[in-house]
Amino acid sequence: MIECLDIVKIYKNGDVETPVLKNVSFKINDGEFVAIMGPSGSGKSTLMHILGALDTPTSGVYKLDDQDVSKLSDDQLANIRKNKIGFVFQSFNLLSRATVIRNVSLPLIYSEVPKEERIKKAKQSLVLAGLPENRWEHLSNQLSGGQMQRVAIARALVNDPSIILADEPTGNLDTKTGEVVLATFQELNNKNHHTIVLITHELYVAQHADRIIHIQDGLIIKDEKNQNKRIVNNDLN
Amino acid sequence: MKISDIFEETYFSLMSNKVRTGLTMLGIVIGIGSVIGMVSIGQGAQGNIESRIQSIGSNLILIMPGAQRGVGMEVSSGRGSAQTLTLDDASAIASSVSGVEAVAPEISRRYQVTAAGTNTNVSVVGTVSSYPQVRNVAIDQGSFITDQSVQDFSKVAVLGPSARDDLFGTGAQAIGQMIKINKVDFKVVGITQAKGGNGFGSQDDMIFVPLTSAQRYLEGDTYVTTISVQAQSQNVMSDVQQQITSLLLERHHISDPTLADFNVLNQSDIVAAASSVTSTFTILLGAIAGISLLVGGIGIMNMMLTTVTERTREIGLRKAVGAKSKDINVQFLTESVALTFMGGVFGFILGWVLAFLVTQFAGITTQISLSSVILAFVVSAGIGIVFGYYPAKRAASLNPIEALRYE
Ligand SMILES: Nc1ncnc2c1ncn2[C@@H]1O[C@H](COP(=O)(O)OP(=O)(O)OP(=O)(O)O)[C@@H](O)[C@H]1O
Ligand SMILES: [Mg+2]
C-alpha cells in the first residue's frame, strides 16, 4: 500500500529553488491500477521517483507498506527498490548485449538469489509478461519495441514487487504496440492482482487504468475512478 | 552481490567489447612483458658475473698495487700505473702469513703475439707453478709452468684455448710449436682447459709464461701486478687478509694504514661490488620498462572512464533495480583489476618469450626469478586498483535519476 501525505519536492540549484511538487497527498491500495496523468512538466516523473524510492521528498511522509520511506539513506532506499519496486521506463533501459533471460534476472543478483532460481523466476516473469518462449535466448537488441517493453515488464515483475511503476511505458511505441503493452498491464492487474502505477500525459493511455489522478503544476487537481475504462482485447501478441 | 556474480558480470562486460578490452590490455601486456624481460636480462647479467667471479678461484684474496685514498694524496690505481708489489712480497706472504694455502704472484700485460704468420693481441701472464691451484685453471694438454722453468728463466708458454685457436687454428696441435711474444721466441708446452665465458677477464684468452722470464724478457723490471692468495678455508679469510695487510705495511714502511700503496681484496668484496653495479643496472632496466607499465595503467584509466560514461544508463538502471553504490564500485573495480591481471598473465608470457629470444639470438644470459614474477602480478593487480579506483568511484557516485536520463 502506498500512502503520500503532504509531499513537497523542491529542487535547489545554488540559490534557485524550483518547487515541483506542492503538497501532494493520496493513497493507493494493493491491487489497484492507477494512472497519474498531467501535462509535461507537471511533476509526474518527480512523483514517480519518490514513489519508486529513487529520491526522497523535501517534506511530507511517504509510506510504502506502512514503512516510512521519506527519510532513508541511499543504501536503505536501494534495499526498498530491490525488494518492493518494479520499474518500467519509457526507453526500456535493457542491457543491449545481454540475453532476454539475463536482462530479466538482473535485479535478482543484487538480492543474492542463486543462479538456478534466478533463471526460474525470470522465466515465470516472462510468461506473465507474455513474451514468447522462442525469444528468451535472444539478445535484447534483436527484439521489436513491443517485445523489449515486455522484457522490461518481466524484469519489473521478477522480484515480486509491491508496486510496478511505469513512466510513459508506451511513449516510444506506436499505438498498436502500445495497446499490447497496456493489455499486458491490465492482465497483470486482473489476474495477478499486481499494483500498477502508470504515468502518462495522454488521456487515451490513462483510460486503460481503473483510477486516474490528474496532476498539474505540482498539485493534484482531480482524483477519480475511470468511468469509461478501455479494455484491450488480449490476444497477447 | 555474490562473488561469482561479480565475476560473471565482469566477464560479460569485458566480452561485450572484445576489441577494446584487448587493446587496453595490450598496454599492460607490453608493460609487464618489458619489465619481466628487462629484469631477466639484468638478473641474468648479475648471475653471470657472480658465477664468473666465483670461477676465478676459491677462498681467493687478491693483492693489487695502487694507493688507497689518503689525505693530500693523489688517487691512483690500476695495473702498471703503480709499481709497488714485488716477488719478495709474495714470498714473504707465503712464508710468514698463517692460514695460507698457496700464493701465486703474476705480472700481466697485453702483448702482440705471433705464430706462423698469425698475429693476435693477447694478455700475457707471467706467473708461477701454484697459479692453476689458486686461480682454478686446469691443464688440458702438456703441463703448466713448473718451478724449474721459473728458476731457469725458461722461454716456455702455456696457452689458453682461445689464444691457441687464434694463433694456430681451432683445436690445432700446438705443443712444441714456437710463438713470438713481443719478438721473443717462446715454446708452447701446455694448453689449459676451457673455462667458458668470453670478453672481460676470460682466462681462456691468455698466455702463461714463467714469472721470471716475463720480468727479464718482456717487462725488464721486478715488480708484479697481482698477488693471488688462496686461504685454507672460508673461515680464515678475514684473518689472512688482516695479516697480509699488516705484513705489507711493515715491509713497505708505511705506518698509516690509510696511506697503503696496495689493495687487499677478497673475493666476496669483488662479488659485492659487481652485484651492486649489476643490481643498479637491473633497477634501471626495470624502471625504463616500468614507464611503459605506467602508460598502460593510464590507458586502463582512460578506458574505464570512457566505459563509465558510455554505461551511465546501465549504471542508473542497476541502481534503480536495487544496486547499492558499493555494488557498482566493486563491479567496475573488478573489471579494471581483471583487465590488468589478465594483462599481467599475458605480459608474463611475453616477457618470458622475450627473455628466451634474447638468450637464443643475442647469447645474453637471462634469468626470470620468482620474485620478479610475483612482483609483476602484484603490480598489475595494483595498477588495476589504482587506475580503476577513480572511474569506479565516479560510477558509484552517479545519481540514479540523472543516470537514467542520460543520453
Ligand atoms: N533536478 C532538477 N533540478 C531542477 N529542476 C528540476 C529537476 N528535475 C526536474 N525539474 C523540474 O521539475 C519540473 C517537473 O519535472 P518532471 O520531470 O517531474 O515533469 P513531468 O511531469 O515528468 O514532465 P514530462 O511529461 O515532460 O516527463 C520541470 O519543470 C523540471 O524542469
Ligand atoms: Mg516525465
Side-chain angles (χ1 to χ4, degrees):
Chain A
M1 193 171 68
I2 291 174
E3 281 177 279
C4 288
L5 199 70
D6 301 329
I7 297 279
V8 172
K9 182 71 188 180
I10 301 169
Y11 287 111
K12 287 194 186 91
N13 276 325
D15 289 342
V16 189
E17 293 197 350
T18 320
V20 176
L21 296 176
K22 310 157 185 169
N23 213 332
V24 171
S25 303
F26 59 88
K27 244 186 219 184
I28 295 173
N29 289 315
D30 288 347
E32 273 195 276
F33 185 178
V34 180
I36 295 177
M37 207 197 115
S40 185
S42 54
K44 304 181 299 289
S45 295
T46 306
L47 181 58
M48 188 200 78
H49 294 150
I50 292 172
L51 295 181
L54 280 165
D55 206 353
T56 50
T58 311
S59 71
V61 177
Y62 167 40
K63 278 190 189 168
L64 179 60
D65 296 340
D66 293 325
Q67 185 187 3
D68 189 351
V69 176
S70 35
K71 293 191 177 52
L72 298 181
S73 69
D74 284 352
D75 280 359
Q76 288 168 320
L77 288 176
N79 275 332
I80 298 281
R81 296 197 292 273
K82 181 168 75 184
N83 299 324
K84 303 202 166 216
I85 314 284
F87 285 104
V88 179
F89 302 97
Q90 177 176 351
S91 49
F92 323 134
N93 281 324
L94 301 178
L95 305 182
S96 59
R97 280 183 246 249
T99 61
V100 166
I101 293 274
R102 228 171 80 73
N103 263 290
V104 175
S105 59
L106 179 76
L108 298 177
I109 65 175
Y110 298 108
S111 330
E112 309 205 337
V113 176
K115 190 160 181 178
E116 292 91 76
E117 206 182 323
R118 286 206 302 259
I119 290 174
K120 207 179 96 198
K121 285 195 169 179
K123 287 180 174 169
Q124 286 168 355
S125 308
L126 282 164
V127 171
L128 289 178
L131 187 78
E133 193 169 343
N134 59 7
R135 295 286 182 275
W136 291 0
E137 293 300 332
H138 279 51
L139 296 183
S140 65
N141 57 6
Q142 297 167 336
L143 300 176
S144 72
Q147 288 168 334
M148 284 194 207
Q149 199 57 302
R150 287 191 186 194
V151 174
I153 293 171
R155 183 181 60 199
L157 290 170
V158 79
N159 59 345
D160 199 19
S162 307
I163 40 167
I164 295 170
L165 290 167
D167 192 358
E168 306 276 9
T170 58
N172 278 358
L173 304 173
D174 60 60
T175 317
K176 191 144 183 301
T177 322
E179 289 242 299
V180 176
V181 168
L182 291 168
T184 311
F185 282 122
Q186 284 184 341
E187 186 171 275
L188 286 171
N189 176 248
N190 279 338
K191 290 198 185 154
N192 306 83
H193 308 291
H194 280 283
T195 312
I196 296 168
V197 177
L198 175 70
I199 286 166
T200 181
H201 62 276
E202 287 179 279
L203 181 63
Y204 166 76
V205 174
Q207 279 172 340
H208 289 79
D210 296 319
R211 176 181 157 196
I212 304 178
I213 298 175
H214 294 264
I215 181 170
Q216 199 165 356
D217 289 333
L219 287 168
I220 292 178
I221 52 166
K222 203 162 34 155
D223 182 347
E224 56 170 13
K225 186 170 165 18
N226 180 14
Q227 298 300 340
N228 34 12
K229 181 175 178 182
R230 288 175 191 267
I231 309 288
V232 186
N233 176 21
N234 239 338
D235 61 355
L236 281 184
N237 224 338
Chain B
M1 217 175 159
K2 285 198 226 159
I3 305 269
S4 59
D5 290 334
I6 294 173
F7 285 135
E8 206 178 309
E9 292 294 309
T10 302
Y11 174 79
F12 273 107
S13 47
L14 292 182
M15 275 312 176
S16 69
N17 202 335
K18 293 192 193 74
V19 174
R20 185 200 286 173
T21 301
L23 287 175
T24 315
M25 222 185 323
L26 197 59
I28 298 296
V29 171
I30 292 171
I32 293 286
S34 48
V35 168
I36 298 250
M38 294 290 216
V39 169
S40 79
I41 292 171
Q43 288 185 333
Q46 188 158 351
N48 197 13
I49 287 174
E50 277 171 23
S51 72
R52 241 193 249 181
I53 292 170
Q54 296 303 349
S55 80
I56 63 173
S58 46
N59 304 331
L60 188 65
I61 293 167
L62 295 174
I63 304 139
M64 300 193 196
Q68 288 179 336
R69 281 160 209 271
V71 189
M73 267 185 77
E74 216 168 279
V75 178
S76 71
S77 71
R79 295 168 180 215
S81 62
Q83 299 180 318
T84 55
L85 295 173
T86 61
L87 201 48
D88 291 342
D89 288 334
S91 317
I93 290 167
S95 58
S96 56
V97 173
S98 63
V100 168
E101 181 74 29
V103 177
E106 66 182 89
I107 180 165
S108 72
R109 181 177 295 185
R110 295 188 82 83
Y111 286 102
Q112 206 64 28
V113 178
T114 57
T118 56
N119 183 331
T120 180
N121 188 282
V122 66
S123 184
V124 177
V125 177
T127 188
V128 297
S129 62
S130 56
Y131 185 90
Q133 178 191 351
V134 178
R135 297 295 292 265
N136 257 356
V137 176
I139 283 295
D140 187 30
Q141 298 167 30
S143 61
F144 199 74
I145 313 290
T146 58
D147 290 338
Q148 190 64 43
S149 54
V150 173
Q151 253 174 44
D152 298 349
F153 300 87
S154 309
K155 292 182 194 166
V156 295
V158 176
L159 307 186
S162 311
R164 184 262 324 267
D165 293 349
D166 289 347
L167 289 166
F168 296 101
T170 306
Q173 180 54 255
I175 306 275
Q177 308 260 34
M178 298 303 286
I179 57 173
K180 269 195 202 309
I181 303 173
N182 203 22
K183 302 197 181 83
V184 182
D185 278 322
F186 283 80
K187 185 180 174 190
V188 178
V189 295
I191 307 290
T192 64
Q193 239 167 42
K195 286 182 84 172
N198 45 24
F200 166 76
S202 168
Q203 286 168 313
D204 292 353
D205 195 18
M206 280 183 181
I207 294 177
F208 304 96
V209 298
L211 181 71
T212 47
S213 320
Q215 287 178 335
R216 176 173 295 179
Y217 305 119
L218 303 175
E219 298 282 335
D221 60 38
T222 58
Y223 295 103
V224 299
T225 49
T226 308
I227 301 173
S228 306
V229 177
Q230 185 178 31
Q232 275 163 357
S233 73
Q234 184 72 42
N235 303 335
V236 299
M237 292 274 282
S238 56
D239 180 46
V240 170
Q241 201 178 350
Q242 196 54 51
Q243 287 185 58
I244 291 170
T245 308
S246 26
L247 176 73
L248 291 182
L249 284 173
E250 192 189 313
R251 286 179 56 85
H252 295 189
H253 310 293
I254 297 167
S255 51
D256 181 356
T258 61
L259 301 179
D261 56 0
F262 56 88
N263 292 317
V264 182
L265 302 171
N266 74 41
Q267 215 166 353
S268 40
D269 295 338
I270 302 169
V271 171
S275 322
S276 87
V277 171
T278 49
S279 59
T280 309
F281 174 64
T282 306
I283 289 167
L284 189 71
L285 285 179
I288 292 168
I291 290 169
S292 64
L293 198 53
L294 186 72
V295 173
I298 293 168
I300 295 272
M301 180 135 129
N302 187 22
M303 175 210 165
M304 291 307 294
L305 285 174
T306 313
T307 308
V308 169
T309 311
E310 264 178 16
R311 285 158 67 190
T312 298
R313 284 172 78 102
E314 178 194 325
I315 295 164
L317 173 78
R318 285 177 186 274
K319 285 196 161 184
V321 301
K324 299 193 171 84
S325 297
K326 195 192 92 204
D327 296 320
I328 303 293
N329 201 333
V330 166
Q331 186 190 337
F332 279 84
L333 208 51
T334 310
E335 274 181 34
S336 88
V337 173
L339 265 178
T340 55
F341 191 79
M342 282 192 296
V345 172
F346 291 121
F348 167 70
I349 295 169
L350 178 72
W352 186 80
V353 169
L354 281 180
F356 177 77
L357 292 179
V358 163
T359 308
Q360 283 291 302
F361 294 107
I364 296 170
T365 319
T366 57
Q367 191 178 316
I368 294 179
S369 67
L370 186 65
S371 63
S372 70
V373 173
I374 291 172
L375 193 74
F377 285 116
V378 170
V379 165
S380 63
I383 282 175
I385 292 172
V386 169
F387 290 99
Y389 177 81
Y390 173 65
K393 210 179 130 184
R394 202 149 110 168
S397 65
L398 285 175
N399 175 319
I401 298 169
E402 275 157 30
L404 280 168
R405 232 193 324 233
Y406 184 85
E407 290 301 327

